[in-house]
Amino acid sequence: MRLLGIDTGGSSLKAAPVEVTTGVLAADVVSFPTPSPATPAAIAAVVKRIAESFPELGGPVGFAFPSVVRAGVACTAANVDQGWIGTDGARLVREATGRPAAFLNDADAAGLAEVRVGAGGGQDGTVIMLTFGTGIGSAIFHDGHLMPNTEFGHMEIRGMEAEHRASARVRKVECLGWPEWAQRVNEVLACMHALFWPDLFILGGGVVENWASFGPLLESPTRVVPAELGNTAGIVGAALAASEL
Ligand code: BGC
């Protein structure tokens, strides 16, 4: 079965049809710039256009979004328009596309994909996925079960939120070299390790394309691996969530 997965990022909304039994993309990813301001109405208009690009996919749509999501409603808006707080995202996507919709946190979606069909496949125990982009997203799994909405990117390190020190955006804005940035990521991993003693860390986000530059500089008592699905994990996870509606 092929379902549409959509992932919302700070700079673009990316989408593709996903074969949900395998997690493989059934076509190239389409990408639309994130509107500015990224209000619910503006995002809904983009979602509508995306759905119209895939008329053959009539089933449920999965929509991954960078906020805490409880019972289909966005509860936070850390790096997005404040108008999202209190928005019923599942309903918004349903109305924009005319199809049933699953609405979930972007890092939870990426983690779901990696644990089911990516770097965490077959791993028992506790797996923590961290995504490095505009912010830092997180997802925690135990024996394959997700505990949603963890928001570890807002954990305080050296008096600052982790994502304000160690996101991929901060690396660019502060022009950090790989060793300096990897050191900041190591602090995040150390904090997570001390609190959760995970069996595996999976690191995701577009920056993972540069794994060769920073992966060898990462240090943790826990094994650390790059996301296998790269930047498409959120799309795949969104479609997987839709398949469970
Ligand atoms: C948000 C999270 C999101 C993460 C990655 C954070 O600022 O609070 O909900 O998962 O960014 O996009």
Side-chain angles (χ1 to χ4, degrees), residues 65-68 76 78-79 105-107 131 135-138 151 154 163:
F65 192 76
S67 82
V68 167
T76 61
N79 288 310
N105 172 265
D106 56 351
T131 62
I136 297 179
S138 62
E151 297 290 312
H154 300 292
E163 74 173 23

